[in-house]
Coordinates of all heavy atoms in Angstrom, one line a residue:
D1198 N 4.9 0.4 5.5 CA 5.3 1.6 5.9 C 5.7 1.6 7.5 O 6.7 2.2 7.9 CB 4.3 2.8 5.7 CG 2.9 2.5 6.3 OD1 2.6 1.4 6.4 OD2 2.4 3.6 6.8
D1199 N 5.0 0.7 8.3 CA 5.4 0.5 9.7 C 6.7 -0.2 9.8 O 7.6 0.2 10.6 CB 4.3 -0.3 10.4 CG 3.0 0.5 10.6 OD1 3.1 1.8 10.7 OD2 2.0 -0.1 10.8
A1200 N 6.9 -1.2 8.9 CA 8.1 -1.9 8.8 C 9.3 -1.0 8.5 O 10.5 -1.1 9.1 CB 8.1 -3.1 7.9
A1201 N 9.1 -0.2 7.5 CA 10.2 0.8 7.2 C 10.5 1.7 8.4 O 11.7 2.0 8.6 CB 9.7 1.6 6.0
D1202 N 9.5 2.1 9.2 CA 9.7 3.0 10.3 C 10.7 2.2 11.3 O 11.5 2.8 11.9 CB 8.5 3.4 11.0 CG 7.7 4.3 10.2 OD1 8.2 5.0 9.2 OD2 6.5 4.5 10.4
I1203 N 10.3 0.9 11.5 CA 11.0 0.1 12.5 C 12.5 -0.1 12.1 O 13.4 0.1 12.9 CB 10.4 -1.2 12.7 CG1 9.0 -1.0 13.5 CG2 11.2 -2.2 13.6 CD1 8.0 -2.2 13.5
V1204 N 12.6 -0.5 10.9 CA 13.9 -0.8 10.3 C 14.8 0.5 10.4 O 16.0 0.4 10.7 CB 13.9 -1.2 8.8 CG1 15.2 -1.2 8.2 CG2 13.4 -2.6 8.8
S1205 N 14.2 1.7 10.2 CA 15.0 2.9 10.2 C 15.5 3.3 11.6 O 16.5 4.0 11.8 CB 14.1 4.1 9.6 OG 13.2 4.5 10.5
E1206 N 14.8 2.7 12.6 CA 15.3 2.9 14.0 C 16.3 1.9 14.5 O 17.0 2.2 15.6 CB 14.0 2.9 15.0 CG 13.0 3.9 14.6 CD 13.3 5.3 15.1 OE1 14.1 5.5 16.0 OE2 13.0 6.2 14.3
L1207 N 16.6 1.0 13.8 CA 17.6 -0.1 14.2 C 19.0 0.4 14.0 O 19.2 1.2 13.1 CB 17.3 -1.4 13.4 CG 16.0 -2.1 13.7 CD1 15.8 -3.2 12.7 CD2 15.8 -2.5 15.1
D1208 N 19.9 -0.2 14.7 CA 21.3 0.0 14.4 C 21.6 -0.6 13.0 O 20.9 -1.5 12.5 CB 22.3 -0.7 15.3 CG 22.2 -0.1 16.7 OD1 21.9 1.1 16.8 OD2 22.5 -0.9 17.7
D1209 N 22.6 0.1 12.3 CA 22.9 -0.2 10.9 C 23.0 -1.7 10.5 O 22.6 -2.4 9.7 CB 24.0 0.5 10.3 CG 23.7 2.0 10.0 OD1 22.5 2.3 10.1 OD2 24.6 2.8 9.9
D1210 N 23.8 -2.4 11.5 CA 24.2 -3.7 11.3 C 22.9 -4.6 11.6 O 22.8 -5.5 10.7 CB 25.3 -4.2 12.3 CG 26.6 -3.7 12.0 OD1 26.9 -3.1 10.9 OD2 27.5 -3.6 13.0
I1211 N 22.1 -4.3 12.6 CA 21.0 -5.1 12.8 C 19.9 -4.9 11.7 O 19.3 -5.8 11.2 CB 20.4 -4.8 14.2 CG1 21.3 -5.2 15.2 CG2 19.0 -5.5 14.4 CD1 21.0 -4.7 16.5
A1212 N 19.9 -3.7 11.3 CA 18.8 -3.3 10.1 C 19.2 -4.1 8.8 O 18.3 -4.7 8.1 CB 18.8 -1.8 9.8
E1213 N 20.5 -4.1 8.6 CA 21.0 -5.0 7.3 C 20.7 -6.4 7.5 O 20.2 -7.0 6.5 CB 22.5 -4.7 7.1 CG 22.9 -5.2 5.7 CD 22.1 -4.5 4.6 OE1 21.9 -3.2 4.6 OE2 21.8 -5.2 3.6
E1214 N 20.8 -7.0 8.6 CA 20.5 -8.4 8.9 C 19.0 -8.7 8.7 O 18.6 -9.6 8.0 CB 21.0 -8.8 10.2 CG 20.8 -10.3 10.5 CD 21.3 -10.7 11.9 OE1 22.1 -10.1 12.3 OE2 20.7 -11.8 12.4
V1215 N 18.3 -7.8 9.3 CA 16.8 -8.0 9.1 C 16.3 -7.8 7.7 O 15.6 -8.7 7.2 CB 16.1 -6.9 10.0 CG1 14.6 -6.8 9.6 CG2 16.3 -7.1 11.5
M1216 N 16.9 -6.8 6.9 CA 16.6 -6.7 5.6 C 17.0 -7.8 4.6 O 16.3 -8.3 3.9 CB 17.1 -5.3 5.0 CG 16.4 -4.2 5.8 SD 17.2 -2.6 5.5 CE 17.2 -2.4 3.8
E1217 N 18.1 -8.4 5.0 CA 18.5 -9.6 4.3 C 17.8 -10.8 4.5 O 17.3 -11.5 3.5 CB 20.1 -10.0 4.6 CG 21.1 -9.0 4.1 CD 22.5 -9.2 4.6 OE1 22.7 -10.4 5.3 OE2 23.4 -8.5 4.3
R1218 N 17.3 -11.0 5.6 CA 16.4 -12.1 6.0 C 15.0 -11.8 5.4 O 14.4 -12.8 4.8 CB 16.2 -12.3 7.5 CG 17.4 -12.8 8.1 CD 17.2 -13.1 9.5 NE 18.4 -13.6 10.3 CZ 18.5 -14.2 11.4 NH1 17.3 -14.4 12.0 NH2 19.6 -14.5 11.9
L1219 N 14.5 -10.7 5.5 CA 13.3 -10.3 4.8 C 13.3 -10.5 3.3 O 12.4 -11.0 2.7 CB 12.8 -9.0 5.2 CG 11.4 -8.5 4.9 CD1 10.4 -9.6 5.5 CD2 11.1 -7.2 5.4
E1220 N 14.4 -10.1 2.7 CA 14.7 -10.2 1.3 C 14.4 -11.7 0.9 O 13.8 -12.0 -0.1 CB 15.9 -9.8 0.9 CG 16.3 -9.8 -0.7 CD 15.7 -8.6 -1.4 OE1 16.1 -7.6 -0.9 OE2 15.1 -8.8 -2.4
R1221 N 15.0 -12.6 1.6 CA 14.8 -14.1 1.3 C 13.4 -14.5 1.5 O 13.0 -15.4 0.7 CB 15.8 -14.9 2.2 CG 17.3 -14.6 1.8 CD 18.2 -15.6 2.5 NE 18.2 -15.6 3.9 CZ 19.1 -14.9 4.7 NH1 20.0 -14.2 4.1 NH2 18.9 -14.7 5.9
S1222 N 12.7 -14.0 2.5 CA 11.4 -14.6 2.7 C 10.3 -13.9 1.9 O 9.3 -14.5 1.6 CB 11.0 -14.5 4.3 OG 11.0 -13.1 4.6
D1223 N 10.5 -12.6 1.7 CA 9.4 -11.8 1.0 C 9.9 -10.6 0.2 O 10.1 -9.5 0.7 CB 8.3 -11.3 1.9 CG 7.1 -10.9 1.2 OD1 7.2 -10.5 0.0 OD2 5.9 -11.0 1.8
A1224 N 10.5 -10.9 -1.0 CA 11.2 -9.8 -1.8 C 10.3 -8.6 -2.1 O 10.8 -7.6 -2.1 CB 11.8 -10.4 -3.1
E1225 N 9.0 -8.9 -2.3 CA 8.1 -7.8 -2.6 C 7.9 -6.8 -1.5 O 8.0 -5.6 -1.6 CB 6.8 -8.4 -3.0 CG 5.8 -7.3 -3.5 CD 4.4 -8.0 -4.0 OE1 4.4 -9.0 -4.5 OE2 3.5 -7.1 -3.8
V1226 N 7.8 -7.4 -0.3 CA 7.7 -6.5 1.0 C 9.0 -5.7 1.1 O 9.0 -4.5 1.4 CB 7.4 -7.3 2.2 CG1 7.6 -6.5 3.5 CG2 6.0 -7.8 2.1
M1227 N 10.2 -6.4 0.9 CA 11.5 -5.8 1.0 C 11.7 -4.6 0.1 O 12.2 -3.6 0.4 CB 12.5 -6.8 0.8 CG 13.9 -6.3 1.3 SD 13.9 -5.9 3.0 CE 14.4 -4.2 3.0
E1228 N 11.1 -4.8 -1.2 CA 11.1 -3.7 -2.1 C 10.4 -2.5 -1.7 O 10.9 -1.4 -1.7 CB 10.7 -4.2 -3.6 CG 10.8 -3.2 -4.7 CD 10.3 -3.7 -5.9 OE1 10.3 -5.0 -6.1 OE2 9.7 -2.9 -6.7
D1229 N 9.2 -2.7 -1.1 CA 8.4 -1.6 -0.6 C 9.2 -0.9 0.6 O 9.3 0.3 0.6 CB 7.1 -2.1 0.0 CG 6.1 -2.5 -1.2 OD1 6.4 -2.1 -2.4 OD2 5.1 -3.2 -0.8
I1230 N 9.8 -1.6 1.4 CA 10.6 -1.1 2.5 C 11.7 -0.3 2.0 O 11.9 0.8 2.4 CB 11.0 -2.2 3.5 CG1 9.8 -2.8 4.3 CG2 12.1 -1.5 4.5 CD1 10.1 -4.0 5.1
R1231 N 12.4 -0.9 1.0 CA 13.6 0.0 0.6 C 13.1 1.2 -0.2 O 13.7 2.2 -0.1 CB 14.3 -1.0 -0.5 CG 15.2 -2.0 0.1 CD 16.2 -2.6 -0.8 NE 16.7 -3.9 -0.4 CZ 17.7 -3.9 0.5 NH1 18.2 -2.9 1.0 NH2 18.2 -5.1 0.9
D1232 N 12.1 1.2 -0.8 CA 11.5 2.4 -1.5 C 11.2 3.4 -0.3 O 11.6 4.6 -0.6 CB 10.2 2.0 -2.3 CG 10.5 1.3 -3.6 OD1 11.7 1.2 -4.0 OD2 9.6 0.8 -4.2
L1233 N 10.5 3.0 0.6 CA 10.2 3.9 1.7 C 11.2 4.4 2.4 O 11.3 5.6 2.9 CB 9.0 3.3 2.6 CG 7.7 3.1 2.0 CD1 6.8 2.3 3.0 CD2 7.0 4.4 1.6
L1234 N 12.4 3.7 2.6 CA 13.5 4.2 3.4 C 14.3 5.3 2.7 O 15.2 5.9 3.2 CB 14.4 3.0 3.7 CG 14.0 2.0 4.7 CD1 14.8 0.8 4.8 CD2 13.8 2.7 6.1
Q1235 N 14.0 5.5 1.4 CA 14.6 6.5 0.7 C 14.2 7.9 1.1 O 14.9 8.9 0.8 CB 14.3 6.4 -0.8 CG 14.8 5.1 -1.5 CD 14.5 5.2 -2.9 OE1 14.6 6.1 -3.7 NE2 13.9 4.0 -3.4
Y1236 N 13.1 7.9 1.8 CA 12.5 9.2 2.3 C 12.8 9.5 3.6 O 12.7 8.7 4.5 CB 11.0 9.3 1.9 CG 10.7 9.0 0.4 CD1 10.3 7.8 0.1 CD2 10.7 10.0 -0.4 CE1 10.0 7.5 -1.2 CE2 10.4 9.7 -1.8 CZ 10.0 8.5 -2.2 OH 9.7 8.2 -3.4
S1237 N 13.0 10.8 4.0 CA 13.2 11.3 5.4 C 11.8 11.1 6.1 O 10.8 11.3 5.3 CB 13.6 12.7 5.4 OG 13.7 13.2 6.7
E1238 N 11.9 10.8 7.3 CA 10.7 10.5 8.1 C 9.7 11.6 8.1 O 8.5 11.4 8.1 CB 11.1 10.1 9.5 CG 10.0 9.7 10.4 CD 10.5 9.5 11.8 OE1 11.6 8.9 12.0 OE2 9.8 9.8 12.8
D1239 N 10.2 12.9 8.0 CA 9.3 14.0 8.1 C 8.8 14.5 6.8 O 8.4 15.8 6.7 CB 10.0 15.1 9.0 CG 11.2 15.5 8.3 OD1 11.9 14.8 7.5 OD2 11.8 16.6 8.8
T1240 N 8.9 13.8 5.7 CA 8.5 14.2 4.3 C 7.3 13.4 4.0 O 6.9 12.4 4.6 CB 9.5 13.9 3.3 OG1 9.8 12.6 3.2 CG2 10.9 14.7 3.6
A1241 N 6.5 13.8 3.0 CA 5.3 13.2 2.5 C 5.7 11.7 2.2 O 5.0 10.7 2.5 CB 4.8 13.9 1.3
G1242 N 6.8 11.5 1.5 CA 7.3 10.1 1.1 C 7.6 9.3 2.2 O 7.3 8.1 2.3
G1243 N 8.1 9.9 3.4 CA 8.3 9.2 4.5 C 7.1 8.8 5.3 O 7.1 7.9 6.1
R1244 N 6.0 9.5 5.0 CA 4.7 9.3 5.8 C 3.7 8.4 5.0 O 2.7 8.0 5.5 CB 4.1 10.6 6.1 CG 4.9 11.4 7.1 CD 4.2 12.7 7.4 NE 5.0 13.6 8.2 CZ 4.9 13.7 9.5 NH1 4.1 12.9 10.1 NH2 5.8 14.4 10.2
M1245 N 4.1 8.2 3.7 CA 3.1 7.5 2.9 C 3.1 6.0 3.0 O 3.9 5.5 3.7 CB 3.3 7.8 1.3 CG 4.6 7.1 0.9 SD 4.9 7.5 -0.8 CE 6.5 6.6 -1.1
T1246 N 2.1 5.4 2.5 CA 1.9 4.0 2.6 C 1.9 3.5 1.2 O 1.4 4.2 0.2 CB 0.7 3.5 3.3 OG1 0.5 2.1 3.4 CG2 -0.6 4.0 2.7
T1247 N 2.3 2.3 0.9 CA 2.2 1.6 -0.4 C 0.9 0.9 -0.5 O 0.7 0.3 -1.4 CB 3.4 0.8 -0.6 OG1 3.4 -0.2 0.5 CG2 4.7 1.5 -0.6
D1248 N 0.1 0.8 0.6 CA -1.1 -0.1 0.6 C -2.3 0.9 0.3 O -2.6 1.8 1.0 CB -1.3 -0.7 1.9 CG -0.3 -1.6 2.3 OD1 0.3 -2.3 1.4 OD2 0.1 -1.8 3.5
Y1249 N -2.9 0.6 -0.9 CA -4.0 1.4 -1.2 C -4.8 0.7 -2.3 O -4.4 -0.3 -2.8 CB -3.7 2.8 -1.9 CG -2.9 2.7 -3.2 CD1 -3.5 2.7 -4.3 CD2 -1.5 2.5 -3.2 CE1 -2.9 2.7 -5.5 CE2 -0.8 2.4 -4.4 CZ -1.6 2.5 -5.5 OH -0.8 2.4 -6.8
V1250 N -6.1 1.0 -2.5 CA -7.0 0.4 -3.4 C -7.4 1.5 -4.4 O -7.7 2.6 -4.0 CB -8.2 -0.1 -2.6 CG1 -9.2 -0.8 -3.7 CG2 -7.9 -1.2 -1.6
S1251 N -7.3 1.0 -5.7 CA -7.8 2.0 -6.8 C -8.7 1.3 -7.7 O -8.7 0.1 -7.8 CB -6.5 2.5 -7.5 OG -5.9 1.5 -8.2
V1252 N -9.5 2.1 -8.3 CA -10.6 1.6 -9.3 C -10.5 2.6 -10.5 O -10.1 3.7 -10.3 CB -11.9 1.5 -8.7 CG1 -12.0 0.4 -7.6 CG2 -12.4 2.9 -8.3
H1253 N -10.8 2.1 -11.7 CA -10.8 2.9 -12.8 C -12.1 3.8 -12.9 O -13.2 3.3 -12.4 CB -10.8 1.9 -14.1 CG -10.5 2.6 -15.3 ND1 -11.5 3.2 -16.2 CD2 -9.3 3.0 -15.8 CE1 -10.9 3.8 -17.1 NE2 -9.6 3.7 -17.0
F1254 N -12.0 4.9 -13.3 CA -13.0 5.9 -13.2 C -14.2 5.5 -14.1 O -15.3 6.0 -13.9 CB -12.6 7.3 -13.6 CG -12.4 7.6 -15.0 CD1 -13.3 8.2 -15.9 CD2 -11.2 7.1 -15.7 CE1 -13.2 8.5 -17.1 CE2 -11.0 7.4 -17.0 CZ -12.0 8.0 -17.7
T1255 N -14.1 4.6 -15.0 CA -15.2 4.1 -15.9 C -16.0 2.9 -15.2 O -17.0 2.6 -15.8 CB -14.8 3.7 -17.2 OG1 -13.9 2.7 -17.1 CG2 -14.1 4.9 -17.9
E1256 N -15.5 2.4 -14.1 CA -16.1 1.2 -13.6 C -17.5 1.6 -12.9 O -17.6 2.7 -12.3 CB -15.3 0.7 -12.5 CG -14.0 -0.1 -12.9 CD -13.1 -0.8 -12.0 OE1 -13.4 -0.6 -10.8 OE2 -12.2 -1.4 -12.3
T1257 N -18.3 0.7 -12.9 CA -19.7 1.0 -12.1 C -19.4 0.6 -10.7 O -18.3 0.2 -10.2 CB -20.7 -0.1 -12.6 OG1 -20.2 -1.4 -12.3 CG2 -21.0 0.0 -14.1
V1258 N -20.2 1.2 -9.8 CA -20.1 1.0 -8.4 C -20.0 -0.5 -8.0 O -19.1 -0.9 -7.3 CB -21.2 1.7 -7.6 CG1 -21.3 1.3 -6.1 CG2 -21.2 3.2 -7.9
S1259 N -20.9 -1.2 -8.6 CA -20.8 -2.7 -8.3 C -19.6 -3.4 -8.7 O -19.0 -4.2 -8.0 CB -22.1 -3.4 -8.9 OG -22.1 -3.3 -10.3
K1260 N -19.1 -3.0 -9.9 CA -17.7 -3.5 -10.4 C -16.6 -3.0 -9.5 O -15.7 -3.8 -9.1 CB -17.5 -3.0 -11.8 CG -16.2 -3.6 -12.4 CD -16.2 -5.1 -12.5 CE -14.9 -5.6 -13.3 NZ -14.7 -7.0 -13.0
A1261 N -16.7 -1.8 -9.1 CA -15.5 -1.2 -8.2 C -15.5 -2.1 -6.7 O -14.6 -2.4 -6.4 CB -15.8 0.2 -8.0
I1262 N -16.8 -2.3 -6.2 CA -16.9 -3.1 -5.0 C -16.4 -4.5 -5.2 O -15.6 -5.1 -4.4 CB -18.4 -3.1 -4.5 CG1 -18.7 -1.6 -4.0 CG2 -18.5 -4.1 -3.4 CD1 -20.2 -1.3 -3.7
E1263 N -16.8 -5.1 -6.4 CA -16.2 -6.5 -6.6 C -14.7 -6.5 -6.7 O -14.2 -7.3 -6.1 CB -16.8 -6.9 -8.0 CG -16.4 -8.3 -8.5 CD -17.0 -8.6 -9.8 OE1 -18.2 -8.1 -10.1 OE2 -16.4 -9.3 -10.6
N1264 N -14.2 -5.5 -7.3 CA -12.7 -5.4 -7.5 C -12.0 -5.2 -6.1 O -10.9 -5.8 -5.8 CB -12.2 -4.3 -8.4 CG -12.5 -4.7 -9.9 OD1 -12.7 -5.8 -10.2 ND2 -12.5 -3.7 -10.7
I1265 N -12.7 -4.4 -5.1 CA -12.2 -4.2 -3.9 C -12.2 -5.4 -3.1 O -11.2 -5.8 -2.3 CB -12.9 -3.0 -3.1 CG1 -12.6 -1.8 -3.8 CG2 -12.5 -3.0 -1.6 CD1 -13.5 -0.6 -3.5
R1266 N -13.3 -6.1 -3.1 CA -13.4 -7.5 -2.6 C -12.3 -8.5 -3.0 O -11.7 -9.2 -2.1 CB -14.8 -8.2 -2.8 CG -15.9 -7.4 -2.0 CD -17.2 -8.3 -2.2 NE -18.3 -7.6 -1.4 CZ -19.4 -7.3 -1.9 NH1 -19.7 -7.6 -3.2 NH2 -20.4 -6.7 -1.2
E1267 N -12.1 -8.5 -4.2 CA -11.0 -9.4 -4.8 C -9.6 -8.9 -4.3 O -8.8 -9.7 -3.8 CB -11.0 -9.3 -6.3 CG -10.0 -10.4 -6.9 CD -10.2 -11.7 -6.5 OE1 -11.4 -12.2 -6.4 OE2 -9.3 -12.5 -6.5
F1268 N -9.4 -7.6 -4.3 CA -8.2 -7.1 -3.7 C -7.9 -7.4 -2.3 O -6.9 -7.9 -2.0 CB -8.2 -5.5 -3.9 CG -6.9 -4.9 -3.4 CD1 -5.8 -4.8 -4.2 CD2 -6.8 -4.4 -2.1 CE1 -4.6 -4.1 -3.7 CE2 -5.7 -3.8 -1.6 CZ -4.7 -3.7 -2.4
A1269 N -9.1 -7.4 -1.4 CA -8.9 -7.7 -0.1 C -8.6 -9.2 0.1 O -7.8 -9.6 0.9 CB -10.2 -7.4 0.7
K1270 N -9.3 -10.0 -0.7 CA -9.0 -11.4 -0.7 C -7.6 -11.8 -1.0 O -7.0 -12.5 -0.3 CB -10.0 -12.2 -1.6 CG -10.0 -13.7 -1.4 CD -10.9 -14.4 -2.4 CE -12.3 -13.8 -2.4 NZ -13.2 -14.5 -3.4
V1271 N -7.1 -11.2 -2.1 CA -5.7 -11.5 -2.4 C -4.7 -11.0 -1.4 O -3.8 -11.6 -1.1 CB -5.4 -10.8 -3.8 CG1 -3.9 -10.8 -4.1 CG2 -6.2 -11.4 -4.9
N1272 N -5.1 -9.9 -0.8 CA -4.1 -9.4 0.2 C -4.4 -9.8 1.6 O -3.8 -9.2 2.6 CB -4.1 -7.7 0.1 CG -3.4 -7.3 -1.2 OD1 -2.2 -7.2 -1.1 ND2 -4.3 -6.9 -2.2
E1273 N -5.3 -10.7 1.7 CA -5.7 -11.4 3.0 C -6.0 -10.4 4.0 O -5.7 -10.6 5.2 CB -4.5 -12.2 3.5 CG -4.2 -13.4 2.5 CD -2.9 -14.1 2.9 OE1 -2.2 -13.8 3.8 OE2 -2.7 -15.3 2.2
N1274 N -6.8 -9.3 3.6 CA -7.2 -8.4 4.7 C -6.1 -7.8 5.4 O -6.3 -7.6 6.6 CB -8.4 -8.9 5.4 CG -9.6 -9.2 4.5 OD1 -10.0 -8.4 3.7 ND2 -10.2 -10.4 4.9
Q1275 N -4.9 -7.6 4.9 CA -3.8 -7.1 5.7 C -3.9 -5.6 6.1 O -3.1 -5.1 7.0 CB -2.5 -7.4 5.0 CG -2.2 -8.8 4.7 CD -0.9 -9.2 4.0 OE1 -0.3 -8.1 3.5 NE2 -0.7 -10.4 3.8
F1276 N -4.8 -4.9 5.5 CA -4.9 -3.5 6.0 C -6.4 -3.0 5.8 O -7.1 -3.7 5.0 CB -3.9 -2.7 5.2 CG -4.2 -2.5 3.7 CD1 -5.0 -1.5 3.2 CD2 -3.6 -3.4 3.0 CE1 -5.2 -1.4 1.8 CE2 -3.8 -3.3 1.5 CZ -4.5 -2.3 1.0
E1277 N -6.8 -2.1 6.4 CA -8.1 -1.6 6.3 C -8.3 -0.5 5.2 O -7.4 0.2 5.0 CB -8.6 -0.9 7.7 CG -8.6 -2.1 8.8 CD -9.0 -1.4 10.1 OE1 -9.7 -0.3 10.1 OE2 -8.7 -2.0 11.1
V1278 N -9.5 -0.6 4.5 CA -9.7 0.3 3.4 C -10.7 1.3 3.9 O -11.7 1.1 4.3 CB -10.3 -0.4 2.2 CG1 -10.8 0.6 1.1 CG2 -9.4 -1.4 1.8
Y1279 N -10.3 2.7 3.9 CA -11.2 3.7 4.2 C -11.4 4.6 2.9 O -12.6 5.1 2.8 CB -10.5 4.6 5.3 CG -10.3 3.9 6.5 CD1 -9.0 3.5 7.0 CD2 -11.3 3.6 7.4 CE1 -8.8 2.9 8.1 CE2 -11.2 2.9 8.6 CZ -9.9 2.6 8.9 OH -9.6 1.9 10.1
A1280 N -10.5 4.7 2.1 CA -10.7 5.5 0.9 C -10.3 4.7 -0.4 O -9.4 3.8 -0.2 CB -9.7 6.8 1.0
V1281 N -10.9 5.0 -1.4 CA -10.6 4.4 -2.6 C -10.2 5.3 -3.7 O -10.9 6.4 -3.8 CB -11.8 3.5 -3.3 CG1 -11.5 3.0 -4.6 CG2 -12.4 2.6 -2.2
Y1282 N -9.0 5.2 -4.2 CA -8.5 6.1 -5.2 C -8.9 5.8 -6.6 O -8.8 4.6 -7.1 CB -6.9 6.1 -5.2 CG -6.5 6.5 -3.8 CD1 -6.3 5.6 -2.8 CD2 -6.4 7.8 -3.5 CE1 -5.9 5.9 -1.5 CE2 -5.9 8.2 -2.2 CZ -5.7 7.4 -1.3 OH -5.4 7.7 0.0
V1283 N -9.6 6.8 -7.3 CA -10.0 6.7 -8.6 C -9.0 7.1 -9.6 O -8.5 8.2 -9.5 CB -11.3 7.4 -8.7 CG1 -12.0 7.3 -10.1 CG2 -12.3 7.1 -7.7
V1284 N -8.7 6.3 -10.7 CA -7.6 6.6 -11.5 C -8.1 6.4 -13.0 O -9.1 5.9 -13.2 CB -6.4 5.6 -11.4 CG1 -5.8 5.7 -10.0 CG2 -6.8 4.2 -11.6
D1285 N -7.4 7.2 -13.9 CA -7.7 7.1 -15.2 C -6.9 5.9 -15.9 O -6.3 5.2 -15.3 CB -7.4 8.4 -16.0 CG -6.0 8.8 -16.0 OD1 -5.2 8.0 -15.8 OD2 -5.7 10.0 -16.5
G1286 N -7.0 5.9 -17.2 CA -6.3 4.8 -18.0 C -4.8 4.9 -17.8 O -4.1 3.8 -18.2
N1287 N -4.2 5.9 -17.5 CA -2.8 6.1 -17.3 C -2.4 5.9 -15.8 O -1.2 6.3 -15.4 CB -2.3 7.4 -17.8 CG -2.4 7.5 -19.3 OD1 -2.1 6.5 -20.0 ND2 -2.9 8.7 -19.7
E1288 N -3.2 5.4 -14.9 CA -3.2 5.2 -13.5 C -2.8 6.6 -12.8 O -2.2 6.7 -11.8 CB -2.0 4.2 -13.2 CG -2.2 2.9 -13.7 CD -3.3 2.2 -13.0 OE1 -3.4 2.2 -11.7 OE2 -4.3 1.7 -13.6
K1289 N -3.3 7.7 -13.4 CA -3.3 9.0 -12.8 C -4.5 9.2 -11.9 O -5.6 8.9 -12.3 CB -3.2 10.1 -13.9 CG -2.0 10.0 -14.8 CD -0.9 10.8 -14.3 CE 0.2 10.7 -15.3 NZ 1.4 11.4 -15.0
L1290 N -4.2 9.8 -10.8 CA -5.4 10.1 -9.8 C -6.3 11.0 -10.3 O -5.9 12.1 -10.8 CB -4.7 10.5 -8.5 CG -5.7 10.9 -7.3 CD1 -6.3 9.5 -6.8 CD2 -5.1 11.5 -6.2
V1291 N -7.5 10.7 -10.3 CA -8.6 11.7 -10.8 C -9.6 11.9 -9.7 O -10.4 12.9 -9.8 CB -9.4 11.2 -12.1 CG1 -8.5 11.1 -13.2 CG2 -10.1 9.8 -11.8
G1292 N -9.5 11.3 -8.5 CA -10.4 11.4 -7.4 C -10.2 10.5 -6.3 O -9.5 9.5 -6.5
V1293 N -10.8 10.8 -5.2 CA -10.9 9.8 -4.1 C -12.3 9.8 -3.5 O -13.0 10.9 -3.5 CB -10.0 10.4 -3.0 CG1 -10.0 9.5 -1.8 CG2 -8.5 10.7 -3.5
I1294 N -12.7 8.6 -3.2 CA -14.0 8.4 -2.7 C -13.9 7.6 -1.4 O -13.1 6.6 -1.3 CB -15.0 7.8 -3.7 CG1 -16.5 7.7 -3.1 CG2 -14.5 6.4 -4.1 CD1 -17.5 7.3 -4.1
S1295 N -14.7 7.9 -0.4 CA -14.6 7.1 0.9 C -15.3 5.8 0.6 O -16.2 5.7 -0.3 CB -15.3 7.7 2.0 OG -16.8 7.8 1.9
L1296 N -14.8 4.7 1.2 CA -15.5 3.5 1.0 C -17.0 3.5 1.4 O -17.8 2.9 0.7 CB -14.8 2.4 2.0 CG -15.2 1.0 1.7 CD1 -15.1 0.6 0.2 CD2 -14.4 0.0 2.6
Q1297 N -17.3 4.2 2.5 CA -18.8 4.4 2.8 C -19.5 5.0 1.6 O -20.6 4.5 1.4 CB -18.9 5.3 4.0 CG -20.3 5.5 4.4 CD -20.4 6.4 5.7 OE1 -19.4 6.6 6.5 NE2 -21.6 6.8 6.1
D1298 N -19.0 6.1 1.1 CA -19.8 6.7 0.0 C -20.0 5.8 -1.1 O -21.0 5.7 -1.8 CB -19.1 8.0 -0.5 CG -19.2 9.2 0.6 OD1 -20.1 9.1 1.4 OD2 -18.5 10.2 0.4
L1299 N -18.9 5.0 -1.5 CA -19.0 4.0 -2.6 C -20.1 3.0 -2.4 O -20.8 2.7 -3.2 CB -17.6 3.4 -2.8 CG -17.5 2.4 -3.9 CD1 -17.7 3.1 -5.3 CD2 -16.2 1.6 -3.9
V1300 N -20.0 2.5 -1.2 CA -21.0 1.4 -0.8 C -22.4 2.0 -0.8 O -23.3 1.3 -1.1 CB -20.7 0.8 0.5 CG1 -21.7 -0.2 1.0 CG2 -19.3 0.1 0.5
L1301 N -22.6 3.1 -0.3 CA -24.0 3.7 -0.2 C -24.5 4.2 -1.6 O -25.7 4.6 -1.5 CB -24.0 4.8 0.8 CG -23.7 4.3 2.2 CD1 -23.8 5.6 3.2 CD2 -24.7 3.2 2.7
N1302 N -23.7 4.2 -2.6 CA -24.3 4.7 -3.9 C -24.7 3.5 -4.8 O -24.4 2.5 -4.6 CB -23.1 5.5 -4.6 CG -23.1 6.9 -4.2 OD1 -23.9 7.7 -4.3 ND2 -21.8 7.2 -3.6

């Protein structure tokens, strides 16, 4: 989301060059940036992040923590986790729990 903010501030020619180079080096990141650039800066979509951690509502606390650790390892701790989104079998949000509350339960 920070990269999308930066790209949106660049001149069109420079932004396109940056995006082409990024596409070659990390297509997944570029896809996230393109998705976020669709939204105006002052909308919910423009303020959102694509970085989040979710757990299934049927998971035990220990299984949820194990999955969060694995997620952090795979993502090389590239962002900080404060909240964990709890989802159902259809990936629909059913709740949010702070990482602190999860760890203390």
